[in-house]
């Protein structure tokens, strides 16, 4: 069984994001970049499935600029077998990424495709669902537990009301939640081994994928700073401020 894992290079979660002076987007110049945390969980889960004897190969893929190779090497150091970079300078939106992953999935014939539930930069939470729709295969989002046996996957999902357990026939798309696992620490020997693992580079045109954006960002702004709290004398004063000042009731 082959597992395909999608990862994304994003601004490191410890970095304070700055908006460009012209409000056209986020400033990533000279900013530390790393693998999206949810995608790191996806790679870890795929590697664990391989270590358990469920999968025979883990292929990790990303789409973006040349520097994304660093993210792929990190995934290879965690335990993936090989990597694919779909190299492009274009601003990729979820639909374009889903189309790229569909083309690669058709080519690789993966039985399980694992993604993070969302990226911490755009928080779209769309790619996994779009990919499942394009491939016309089952999907399980927000997975907190995955068990694969007898040609099917049993996935425990985190939903608003608690937990939901569903069974999927394979092939299937799974998106990971935070409680699925804790990614392992990448050791120096594994980082060195990752440099020798195969990393293929392709262009979107070679996959026959249209990555033209369908959405246009008009303006990006920082959220307003929170004002200081105030003390109120009684419940009546609190209700008055919520109604007339905050206008939330």
């Amino acid at each position: 069984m082959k597992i395909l894992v999608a990862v994304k290079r994003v601004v490191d979660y410890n970095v304070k994001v700055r908006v460009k002076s012209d409000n056209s987007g986020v400033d990533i110049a000279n900013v530390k970049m790393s693998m999206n945390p949810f995608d790191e969980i996806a790679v870890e889960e795929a590697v664990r499935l391989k270590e358990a004897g469920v999968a025979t190969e883990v292929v990790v893929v990303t789409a973006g600029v040349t520097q994304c190779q660093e993210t792929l090497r990190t995934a290879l150091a965690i335990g993936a077998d090989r990597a694919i970079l779909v190299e492009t300078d274009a601003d990729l939106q979820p639909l374009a990424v889903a189309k790229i992953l569909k083309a690669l999935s058709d080519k690789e014939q993966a039985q399980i495709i694992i993604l993070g539930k969302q990226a911490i930069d755009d928080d779209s939470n769309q790619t996994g669902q779009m990919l499942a729709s394009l491939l016309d295969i089952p999907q399980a989002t927000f997975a907190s537990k995955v068990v694969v046996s007898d040609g099917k996957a049993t996935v425990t999902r985190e939903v608003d009301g608690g937990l939901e357990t569903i069974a999927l026939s394979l092939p299937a798309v799974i998106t990971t939640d935070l409680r699925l696992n804790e990614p392992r620490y990448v050791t120096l020997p594994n980082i060195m081994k990752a440099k020798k693992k195969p990393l293929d580079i392709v262009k979107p045109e070679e996959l026959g994928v249209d990555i033209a954006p369908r959405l246009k960002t008009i303006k990006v702004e920082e959220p307003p700073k929170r004002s200081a709290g105030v003390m109120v004398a009684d419940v009546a004063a609190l209700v008055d401020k919520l109604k007339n000042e905050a206008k939330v009731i």
Side-chain angles (χ1 to χ4, degrees), residues 50-108:
K50 184 189 172 186
E51 291 172 344
V54 173
T56 55
E57 185 180 26
V58 176
V59 182
V60 63
V61 58
T62 193
V65 296
T66 305
Q67 291 88 334
C68 290
Q69 292 186 43
E70 300 169 10
T71 305
L72 291 175
R73 291 295 181 194
T74 301
L76 292 172
I78 292 173
D81 298 294
R82 57 188 176 92
I84 303 171
L85 169 61
V86 182
E87 192 174 38
T88 176
D89 293 329
D91 182 18
L92 296 173
Q93 296 176 353
L95 180 59
V97 176
K99 289 179 178 178
I100 289 172
L101 293 176
K102 178 187 183 300
L104 290 173
S105 181
D106 290 340
K107 180 181 178 182
E108 296 288 340

Side-chain angles (χ1 to χ4, degrees), residues 232 234-249:
V232 294
D234 50 34
V235 174
L238 173 62
V239 172
D240 178 68
K241 285 186 176 293
L242 292 174
K243 183 175 182 180
N244 299 314
E245 292 186 20
K247 298 187 184 302
V248 294
I249 59 173

Side-chain angles (χ1 to χ4, degrees), residues 63-192:
V65 296
T66 305
Q67 291 88 334
C68 290
Q69 292 186 43
E70 300 169 10
T71 305
L72 291 175
R73 291 295 181 194
T74 301
L76 292 172
I78 292 173
D81 298 294
R82 57 188 176 92
I84 303 171
L85 169 61
V86 182
E87 192 174 38
T88 176
D89 293 329
D91 182 18
L92 296 173
Q93 296 176 353
L95 180 59
V97 176
K99 289 179 178 178
I100 289 172
L101 293 176
K102 178 187 183 300
L104 290 173
S105 181
D106 290 340
K107 180 181 178 182
E108 296 288 340
Q109 292 297 298
Q111 288 296 98
I112 301 178
I113 306 162
I114 308 181
L115 310 84
K117 70 171 185 177
Q118 65 195 74
I120 61 171
D121 52 2
D122 56 16
D123 276 333
S124 292
N125 181 23
Q126 295 175 339
T127 305
Q129 293 88 328
M130 289 178 170
L131 175 59
S133 179
L134 291 173
L135 288 169
D136 194 23
I137 60 175
Q139 63 174 307
T141 55
F142 318 132
S144 61
K145 184 179 179 181
V146 177
V147 178
V148 180
S149 62
D150 302 325
K152 69 177 183 180
T154 303
V155 179
T156 301
R157 303 179 59 238
E158 299 204 4
V159 296
D160 290 342
L163 299 175
E164 175 187 55
T165 301
I166 59 176
L168 309 172
S169 58
L170 302 180
V173 172
I174 298 173
T175 70
T176 63
D177 214 326
L178 279 175
R179 277 163 285 278
L180 179 57
N181 61 53
E182 185 174 340
R184 68 194 67 187
Y185 176 76
V186 180
T187 62
L188 182 58
N190 286 336
I191 292 174
M192 300 307 294

Side-chain angles (χ1 to χ4, degrees), residues 2 4 7 14 25 28-29 44 54 82 97 103 107-108 119 152 169 194 200-201 210 214-215 218 235:
K2 185 185 293 185
L4 187 68
V7 300
N14 288 313
I28 60 172
E44 175 67 28
V54 173
R82 57 188 176 92
V97 176
K107 180 181 178 182
E108 296 288 340
K152 69 177 183 180
S169 58
D200 299 325
I201 300 176
D210 173 22
R214 267 60 177 181
L215 305 173
I218 304 299
V235 174

